[in-house]
Amino acid sequence: MLVATSHQTIGPYWHLIEDPAWSNLLRFGAEGDRIVLTGTVTDGGGELVTDAAIEIWQTSPAASDGFPAFGRCQTDATGSFRFTTLKPGPVAGLGNAQQAPHVAISIFARGLLTSLTTRLYFQDEPLNESDPVLSLIEDPARRATLIARKVSDDAWHLDIRLQGENETVFMEI
Amino acid sequence: MMTETAPFRPIEAGSQPANDTPLYRSTGLRHPARPPLRIPQTVTETTGPRFRPVQFGPIADLSVVNRKQAVGERIIVRGRVVDEDNRPVPHTMIEIWQANTGGRYDHPGDQHDAPLDPNFHGSGRVFSDADGWYQFVTIKPGAYPWHNHHNAWRPNHIHYSLFGTGFGQRVITQMYFPGDPLLALDPIYHAIPDQAARERLISSFDINITSPDRALGYRFDFVLRGRHATPTEQG
Ligand SMILES: [Fe+2]
């Protein structure tokens, strides 16, 4: 059996592969429940992380030629990212379980030797209460690090903290 | 029967670098202090984006810009993308970026006092073929200083990003070159605990990839995480 290739940091110069269009998941013409997802990334000293790559992947709505279901956005000089996408619905879980609407997130940056994985959930979704992943987190304050705040009818915001107080729950899969 | 929604097998111990690696200074305030939460692999983790060349156009020759040849040593890099069961990963996208021959990135953040080359940008994109093979042409990147510690220089390297067939296979890594004396001193390379895993990031010179009168050839294979045999197995 072979062993998977080791990760190395994305480094500070990954913008050579950056295409700002990738943050708009509707660029191939997808139509539906358009939403905006914004957020910030801060480090253990409370400083903004201004050179990260944030990637999102969602299984609802399903990927198609018109909807990549995947996006990438840099964090800018204010540590912020912004995606335009479609609002996910509930997603099948293991067995009979149902997952609350969510978006998977990967974070790459200088100073991260492997990617960090987390999830974005949506404030006020009734299914959050029974979501099989959120339910693994006992401390409500920790669970709250995954729940994006509703800032308008079609926009949600999530602050990601890499280390320290209110550190985001990162996941191993 | 292996399916493309079966969960991924656990990561081999020692094969991946720890984010908490003090010798690489930038990790200090960026690595999570808490251990990651182990979650079950659902369809979110076992599936992933697909990229098609018609929407994500390939750039398989980084050595030429506007039909003008970049400065430096032209090389061919060729290899295979497979999973841990040695199954080819076909038609998968590979993103590529690197410094020029002088060790300078065409990036506003790179202040290294080495010349930019108008005929070298340093980013590319290729797809593996039906059997998992990929190939591209570029310029051998130069070493560059990075101020992590006194007299710190990164070994020659090319950055890669691969997506595979599922979110759990996503990998960003760096390929090194054989015989590079800087490898022994590089904290990023040495962040990988297992020596054999580390050394698999070093490409090998290959006379069969080398093209007469044109370019030296290097072989580099990618291995993506394998999947369990059945969709329900978790580990
Ligand atoms: Fe680099």
Side-chain angles (χ1 to χ4, degrees):
Chain A
M1 195 124 70
L2 303 173
V3 175
T5 301
S6 305
H7 292 222
Q8 295 274 265
T9 182
I10 197 170
Y13 306 130
W14 70 270
H15 307 87
L16 282 171
I17 58 163
E18 207 228 345
D19 180 347
W22 286 29
S23 65
N24 178 6
L25 285 70
L26 309 185
R27 68 192 183 281
F28 297 124
E31 292 179 7
D33 191 358
R34 175 190 181 279
I35 61 169
V36 172
L37 301 178
T38 58
T40 62
V41 183
T42 49
D43 71 12
E47 296 291 320
L48 298 163
V49 173
T50 58
D51 57 4
I54 309 299
E55 293 184 349
I56 62 171
W57 160 245
Q58 55 191 92
T59 44
S60 168
S64 66
D65 282 350
F67 183 61
F70 169 86
R72 180 159 66 204
C73 186
Q74 63 162 317
T75 55
D76 63 14
T78 66
S80 303
F81 60 86
R82 184 182 193 275
F83 292 97
T84 305
T85 186
L86 296 176
K87 178 93 195 297
V91 173
L94 300 183
N96 295 322
Q98 193 172 41
Q99 304 187 77
H102 64 276
V103 171
I105 298 180
S106 291
I107 302 164
F108 303 88
R110 171 181 62 86
L112 291 177
L113 284 152
T114 70
S115 59
L116 298 178
T117 297
T118 186
R119 284 182 169 197
L120 178 154
Y121 287 86
F122 296 85
Q123 182 187 355
D124 297 336
E125 281 286 345
L127 280 170
N128 287 349
E129 297 304 315
S130 56
D131 179 81
V133 170
L134 286 176
S135 301
L136 294 172
I137 309 164
E138 284 172 27
D139 179 354
R142 297 275 293 146
R143 209 180 304 144
T145 66
L146 304 184
I147 299 178
R149 188 175 83 241
K150 189 165 186 172
V151 291
S152 73
D153 281 349
D154 62 354
W156 280 261
H157 182 92
L158 184 71
D159 291 315
I160 296 171
R161 296 176 181 88
L162 299 182
Q163 186 191 84
E165 199 179 348
N166 295 319
E167 181 175 307
T168 296
V169 173
F170 297 105
M171 297 156 192
E172 180 183 332
I173 58 177
Chain B
M1 176 67 197
M2 196 80 65
T3 75
E4 294 298 9
T5 56
F8 296 104
R9 289 200 297 265
I11 291 163
E12 184 79 11
S15 69
Q16 296 298 340
N19 276 320
D20 185 4
T21 295
L23 289 176
Y24 173 19
R25 229 173 42 193
S26 297
T27 64
L29 290 169
R30 292 190 167 190
H31 71 83
R34 292 167 176 265
L37 176 72
R38 189 76 185 269
I39 65 167
Q41 294 181 37
T42 72
V43 66
T44 302
E45 289 73 33
T46 59
T47 64
R50 293 289 194 273
F51 301 90
R52 294 186 306 126
V54 62
Q55 286 179 334
F56 299 87
I59 304 169
D61 188 349
L62 286 70
S63 74
V64 173
V65 170
N66 295 330
R67 281 172 290 176
K68 296 203 185 76
Q69 179 65 46
V71 176
E73 181 187 347
R74 191 190 299 124
I75 61 171
I76 300 166
V77 181
R78 178 171 168 78
R80 254 189 130 191
V81 187
V82 298
D83 72 9
E84 290 177 313
D85 297 298
N86 207 19
R87 297 189 309 159
V89 181
H91 310 302
T92 199
M93 187 168 81
I94 304 171
E95 298 176 285
I96 304 157
W97 73 104
Q98 62 167 88
N100 70 17
T101 187
R104 175 85 182 267
Y105 286 88
D106 185 8
H107 184 287
D110 187 357
Q111 299 299 312
H112 177 35
D113 179 23
L116 286 167
D117 179 350
N119 301 326
F120 189 79
H121 178 55
S123 70
R125 181 191 292 150
V126 294
F127 289 79
S128 61
D129 69 14
D131 295 314
W133 288 95
Y134 76 92
Q135 177 172 311
F136 65 96
V137 177
T138 189
I139 296 294
K140 189 175 179 184
Y144 59 84
W146 65 302
H147 306 115
N148 179 71
H149 51 274
H150 174 65
N151 212 7
W153 293 78
R154 289 304 321 283
N156 304 351
H157 63 275
I158 297 177
H159 295 263
Y160 294 101
S161 146
L162 286 85
F163 293 85
T165 58
F167 186 72
Q169 277 183 334
R170 180 91 176 92
V171 58
I172 286 182
T173 190
Q174 301 180 23
M175 179 194 96
Y176 301 101
F177 289 86
D180 190 333
L182 292 169
L183 284 168
L185 305 171
D186 185 48
I188 292 178
Y189 174 70
H190 281 277
I192 303 161
D194 181 67
Q195 182 181 349
R198 264 196 317 268
E199 290 177 351
R200 284 193 292 272
L201 293 186
I202 305 174
S203 58
S204 53
F205 169 71
D206 191 329
I207 192 67
N208 295 311
I209 297 172
T210 298
S211 176
D213 300 327
R214 179 163 157 75
L216 296 188
Y218 290 87
R219 172 76 185 259
F220 189 67
D221 294 341
F222 297 96
V223 180
L224 306 183
R225 275 175 81 183
R227 292 180 188 264
H228 282 296
T230 68
T232 53
E233 224 173 317
Q234 290 278 341

